């Protein structure tokens, strides 16, 4: 019986990560994956370049933020034709566009689990077996370059990793956001809802504070999408959005509502 060259391809990996706990976790997860062997580890840029040149891996797990620089500098010091497959592992999603521009096999946002790592490894295995996946990422990179910038500040565009996709959202698109366990649901009007694995606190730090306010411990709203505020006998408010959606505003966040009343009404 003929074998599948993709399935049977062994991945030889080097981990580039400066945090010991993150390295230990990744190694433990990789131990549960068949057909992949960790050949070395590096904690900074110079070590990474030396390890990759010496061990010739066909995949690297590359953190973005490293002592004295970034993981992108590692790639800058390697000939493009001889670079191994790249799986970025980072807690920051703002580098996703650049990562795909460099034909990364995948972009893992920490913390990630075994299932998400497995999907990334399968993508790397396909890419290492031939040029098909690189051609796909080249097309994706070109597509990203054509997305309209509209002269906006880069922070106005949010980038999320969602179910194997890279999701790009303009902040003006967002109506309101709610927290749900380990996810946030981003409502963009109508029935458009994007669910991403993240915390509402992290999302809040990336939003324009002049446009978004927290009205509840689990709810953030776009001020420009508010239609009216309705006070309740309990001292709380109901926030009525232009879409007709009614959201609770707890007394804890009543100062935010008061500021809207003073500045906008």
């Amino acid at each position: 019986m003929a074998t599948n060259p993709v399935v049977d391809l062994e991945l030889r990996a080097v981990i580039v990560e400066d945090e010991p706990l993150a390295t230990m976790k990744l190694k433990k997860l990789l131990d549960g994956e068949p057909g992949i062997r960790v050949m070395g580890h590096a904690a900074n840029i110079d070590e990474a370049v030396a390890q990759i040149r010496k061990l010739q891996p066909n995949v690297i797990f590359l953190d973005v933020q490293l002592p004295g620089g970034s993981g992108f500098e590692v790639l800058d010091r390697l000939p493009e034709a001889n670079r191994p497959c790249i799986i970025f592992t980072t807690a920051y999603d703002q580098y996703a566009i650049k990562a795909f521009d460099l034909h990364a096999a995948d972009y893992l946002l920490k913390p990630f689990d075994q299932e998400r790592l497995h999907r990334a490894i399968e993508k790397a295995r396909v890419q290492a077996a031939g040029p098909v996946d690189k051609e796909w990422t080249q097309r994706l990179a070109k597509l990203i370059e054509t997305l309209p910038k509209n002269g906006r500040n880069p922070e106005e565009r949010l980038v999320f990793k969602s179910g194997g996709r890279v999701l790009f959202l303009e902040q003006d698109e967002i109506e309101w956001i709610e927290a749900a366990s380990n996810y946030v649901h981003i409502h963009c009007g109508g029935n458009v809802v994007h669910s991403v694995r993240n915390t509402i606190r992290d999302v809040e730090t990336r939003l324009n504070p002049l446009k978004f306010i927290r009205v509840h411990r689990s709810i953030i709203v776009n001020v420009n999408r508010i239609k009216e505020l309705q006070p309740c006998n309990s001292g709380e408010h109901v926030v009525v959005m232009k879409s007709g959606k009614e959201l609770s505003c707890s007394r804890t966040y009543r100062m935010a509502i008061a500021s809207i009343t003073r500045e906008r009404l």
Side-chain angles (χ1 to χ4, degrees), residues 11-31:
L11 292 179
R12 307 178 309 279
V14 166
I15 297 172
V16 182
E17 168 67 66
D18 66 315
E19 293 291 339
L21 289 178
T23 302
M24 290 174 59
K25 179 181 178 181
L26 179 54
K27 285 182 176 178
K28 184 176 180 180
L29 290 174
L30 289 173
D31 285 343

Side-chain angles (χ1 to χ4, degrees), residues 189-200:
N191 296 318
V192 180
V193 182
H194 303 286
S195 297
V196 297
R197 188 177 181 87
N198 210 324
T199 65
I200 197 166

